[in-house]
Amino acid sequence: MRLVFAGTPETALPSLRALIDSPRHEVVAVLTRPDARAGRGRSLQPSPVAELAREAGIEVLRPAKVGDPDFLAQLAALEPDCCPVVAYGALLPQSALDIPRHGWINLHFSLLPAWRGAAPVQHAVLHGDEITGAATFQIVKELDAGPVYGVVTEEIKAIDTSGELLARLAISGAGLLTATLDGVEDGTLQARPQPLEGVSVAPKLTVEDAQVDWSAPAMRVDRLVRACTPNPGSWTTFRDQRVKLGPVRPVASAERLAPGELSVEKNTVRVGTGTHPVELGEVQPQGKRLMTAGEWARGVRVTAEDRLV
């Protein structure tokens, strides 16, 4: 099939590479978000998908709006049979959905209908799911509600961050997406409607969502920090300054501490929660480099009155 691949971040790269390498399909163009400012100089940078497409000699489309008539005409002129999508980052109007004869097929990182929305992996970690996965489905107007072609499953490990889990799903999902397109092309695969039960929604986690509530149980603190790693990054405040937190370790056997209370022993820093303490891993004080919790505690000279808030 002739494909126009839609995607933006690094998460989409395994799928794009798999489709470029596929002997059964041709990626005639990629659709990605416009260049965005990044880095210390805040200069305009192309998306990871745009960079890979450029290296492969594939045309790159960067419309400000997918519904723009000029873009729709450009897309129609490419005569795509199907448009596979992985984390493109914008809603697709019906006028665009109608162009390819096999529609737009999305790789979504959850077992639909669970966790429809922008942050399925983060919510799976946050809510303590034991199993997640990826699904390919036909895009329809309603958010992530189209019929499903196939799924792969993935165990969520007790120490997984959302970044680590997403990296594994991006690789297994690339195989699923390729197999889905193969089945659509040869007519052996049919999409099935999603169940009406079990629908849950996964909105984007904001910086405000990522603040640790030390009165919550240790398990909740652990899940929040892992869910927000690497983005948007969990945080707390110490002496009225923000401190970013890497993954923590619940310590059920440790002596109880009041919520936010700090206990420092050599290189070990523990913080009280609503249940048992958690041990801090890496931290990054405001305006400083990433460091171990022990380095941080020695530098700020934690006192008995200090608290994380």
Side-chain angles (χ1 to χ4, degrees), residues 120-144:
V121 174
Q122 290 170 312
H123 280 271
V125 173
L126 180 62
H127 289 82
D129 293 359
E130 296 180 353
I131 299 291
T132 189
T136 48
F137 71 95
Q138 189 85 35
I139 294 182
V140 296
K141 190 172 182 179
E142 186 181 351
L143 179 66
D144 297 338

Side-chain angles (χ1 to χ4, degrees), residues 100-282:
R101 65 188 180 96
H102 288 298
W104 297 63
I105 296 177
N106 190 45
L107 173 65
H108 183 75
F109 298 111
S110 81
L111 298 176
L112 292 169
W115 302 129
R116 296 176 179 176
V121 174
Q122 290 170 312
H123 280 271
V125 173
L126 180 62
H127 289 82
D129 293 359
E130 296 180 353
I131 299 291
T132 189
T136 48
F137 71 95
Q138 189 85 35
I139 294 182
V140 296
K141 190 172 182 179
E142 186 181 351
L143 179 66
D144 297 338
V148 172
Y149 286 101
V151 299
V152 291
T153 59
E154 180 76 32
E155 178 186 1
I156 302 179
K157 301 173 184 177
I159 58 172
D160 268 338
T161 65
S162 62
E164 292 164 342
L165 180 56
L166 185 57
R168 297 202 304 272
L169 288 170
I171 294 171
S172 60
L176 172 64
L177 180 60
T178 303
T180 298
L181 295 175
D182 290 348
V184 169
E185 188 269 335
D186 62 26
T188 60
L189 188 61
Q190 297 294 323
R192 296 187 176 184
Q194 294 184 34
L196 298 178
E197 301 79 23
V199 176
S200 52
V201 181
K204 181 180 178 179
L205 294 181
T206 66
V207 172
E208 289 73 24
D209 295 328
Q211 182 177 11
V212 173
D213 175 7
W214 297 107
S215 66
M219 180 182 294
R220 173 72 179 181
V221 172
D222 169 47
R223 290 175 180 172
L224 175 69
V225 177
R226 289 189 292 113
C228 293
T229 302
N231 292 309
S234 65
W235 59 280
T236 186
T237 57
F238 176 77
R239 297 175 186 167
D240 297 325
Q241 288 199 322
R242 187 172 294 194
V243 178
K244 290 186 177 180
L245 301 175
V248 302
R249 184 174 70 89
V251 188
S253 60
E255 183 178 348
R256 291 285 294 266
L257 299 169
E261 182 181 357
L262 291 157
S263 172
V264 181
E265 298 178 10
K266 294 184 179 179
N267 292 320
T268 301
V269 181
R270 291 174 180 159
V271 188
T273 72
T275 54
H276 47 267
V278 297
E279 184 177 317
L280 297 183
E282 292 183 317

